[in-house]
Amino acid sequence: MIFPEYRPRRLRKNEFIRSLVRETHITVDDLIYPLFICEGKNVKQEIKSMPEVYRFSIDKASEEIKEAMDLGIKAVLLFGIPDKKDEVGTSAYIEKGIIQRAVRKIKEKFPELVVITDVCLCEYTSHGHCGIIKNGEVDNDLTLEQLAKTAVSHAKAGADIVAPSDMMDGRVGRIREALDSAGFTNVAIMSYSVKYCSAFYGPFREAADSAPKFGDRRSYQMDPANSREALREAYLDIEEGADIIMVKPAMPYLDIIKMLRQEFNYPVAAYQVSGEYAMIKAAGKLGYLDEDRILWESLISIKRAGADLIITYFAKKVAERLHK
Ligand code: PBG
């Protein structure tokens, strides 16, 4: 049937009808709330390029998590900002590290909360690269040992899921092996499988103080021009033991989200990164765009493309809106 017998506008007549035929929904269950955790007490420090996003000391993070959980949020993703950095990122895996202490405290207060930890070295190394430097380059295999130690230390502290974001080859397999042999067979891996080398991470690097001091991340993060390679990366991670695969950033890579959804029967997460957040906020502030509507449309597009989970700095705001 075609026009004039068929009229698509019939099903757009009013909000009740539209909601009956709506294909994509966002629920609070889809959301993962990223948090930056720093040393000190009573710290809640706004990040300049990310208005309304803060670095929290552990005590303040607990207050923030309480608010998020009251809104129905069930999962957080933690990033650590240590006081001390060195060449090999020692503070990433020591028992008294910022994340290890934060996880212990948070799990003690909120045992049912899903605590996910970012596993990477860039916040902990003095040079800001995601791995160990040898002969001026990031050495893949040396880095794997540090990552495995970091993941196990997070699991020991009580993390439910570890999320390697370093993009070294073979890290998921090495981390799975290390977790299993330490007895953490039930700790899941959410792998940043398809992580592009993106300028959209700019504000994050200010937040986490993790910009590389020399060079860039092009020898380990993916070339934005490649999509077939995304399938190979995701395939490798699944073979190595990933439980959830992730695409990052989200909105500029909706085609990749869709491909992974169609190709693999695994949960797909999408990370709406710091630059996506900053763009929406900035345009809203300037009055160029309607922040709330742009946010909603961007999240719907990520869901529609096939993401099961969305990591977003807007998590609390979205949860608030879902309650209205
Ligand atoms: C660490 C890491 C980064 C992000 C998440 N984990 C930064 C980077 O790779 O430089 C970016 C998150 C964001 O921009 O919100 N490797």
Side-chain angles (χ1 to χ4, degrees), residues 120 122 165 195 201 204-205 217 221 248 273-274 313:
C120 193
C122 63
S165 70
K195 178 173 177 180
Y201 309 147
F204 174 94
R205 293 182 189 169
R217 303 211 203 286
Q221 297 181 349
K248 173 184 174 192
V273 298
S274 58
Y313 300 98

Side-chain angles (χ1 to χ4, degrees), residues 1-14 17-18 21:
M1 213 175 9
I2 55 161
F3 181 81
E5 287 77 26
Y6 188 69
R7 289 175 179 268
R9 287 186 59 191
R10 281 180 202 131
L11 297 181
R12 298 180 200 142
K13 206 158 56 181
N14 61 42
I17 291 186
R18 289 192 293 272
V21 297

Side-chain angles (χ1 to χ4, degrees), residues 159-233:
D160 300 286
I161 303 180
V162 293
S165 70
D166 52 283
M167 287 300 276
M168 297 302 123
D169 295 333
R171 90 268 209 222
V172 172
R174 183 67 198 89
I175 288 172
R176 185 70 272 161
E177 196 180 272
L179 287 173
D180 289 352
S181 54
F184 298 110
T185 49
N186 280 332
V187 171
I189 300 177
M190 174 169 80
S191 179
Y192 289 70
S193 302
V194 186
K195 178 173 177 180
Y196 286 95
C197 189
S198 172
F200 283 98
Y201 309 147
F204 174 94
R205 293 182 189 169
E206 179 205 327
D209 185 24
S210 65
K213 301 278 184 296
F214 65 91
D216 54 40
R217 303 211 203 286
R218 280 177 233 234
S219 76
Y220 41 104
Q221 297 181 349
M222 271 183 59
D223 184 335
N226 293 355
S227 63
R228 293 188 295 268
E229 187 185 358
L231 289 179
R232 299 201 293 276
E233 280 283 4

